[in-house]
Amino acid sequence: MTEFKVCIFSKKINFLLINSVGLKGYLLGLILGFIPCGMLYGAFALASSLSNPILAFFGMISFGIATFFALFFVGFFAKLTFKLPEFKIIANIVIIINIVMLFKMFLHKIF
């Protein structure tokens, strides 16, 4: 029964994934923003270990404010960076470096 519910949900949200620009992209970002990351788990653990709930509240508020601006600027400048022709060269260099490192790791395991 849960597979059927997931299928219905994926059909309802599928329109956001296709050509997600403008309002669709904004809505998709809002929905994906509710998926917690590892740093958030660490902040929750730190806040829950505090004996004073007011300190825990301000700790989580400061974490949210700090990550909001960082993520906003990373997203903004990443969009500008992807438009640069040098980005394709850098991306290819990173792929080549990864292939070389995987090959070295493979050789190290064999010999």
Side-chain angles (χ1 to χ4, degrees):
M1 188 69 177
T2 55
E3 292 178 18
F4 181 69
K5 290 180 183 178
V6 170
C7 183
I8 290 173
F9 180 72
S10 67
K11 286 182 181 179
K12 288 182 179 179
I13 202 167
N14 195 27
F15 79 97
L16 291 175
L17 299 173
I18 299 171
N19 195 11
S20 58
V21 228
L23 185 61
K24 285 183 180 180
Y26 180 72
L27 289 173
L28 183 64
L30 281 177
I31 291 170
L32 293 177
F34 287 106
I35 300 173
C37 67
M39 289 182 66
L40 187 59
Y41 289 128
F44 281 149
L46 181 70
S48 65
S49 70
L50 296 174
S51 60
N52 190 348
I54 295 174
L55 286 176
F57 171 76
F58 282 116
M60 289 305 296
I61 290 292
S62 63
F63 177 81
I65 290 171
T67 54
F68 171 78
F69 290 114
L71 290 173
F72 179 78
F73 286 118
V74 164
F76 180 74
F77 288 115
K79 187 174 182 178
L80 296 177
T81 306
F82 288 146
K83 292 180 180 179
L84 296 175
E86 294 87 12
F87 180 76
K88 293 180 181 180
I89 296 170
I90 294 170
N92 289 332
I93 290 172
V94 168
I95 290 171
I96 291 170
I97 290 172
N98 284 327
I99 290 171
V100 169
M101 293 304 290
L102 286 171
F103 186 68
K104 286 176 74 173
M105 287 173 30
F106 179 70
L107 285 179
H108 180 68
K109 288 285 186 183
I110 292 177
F111 299 111

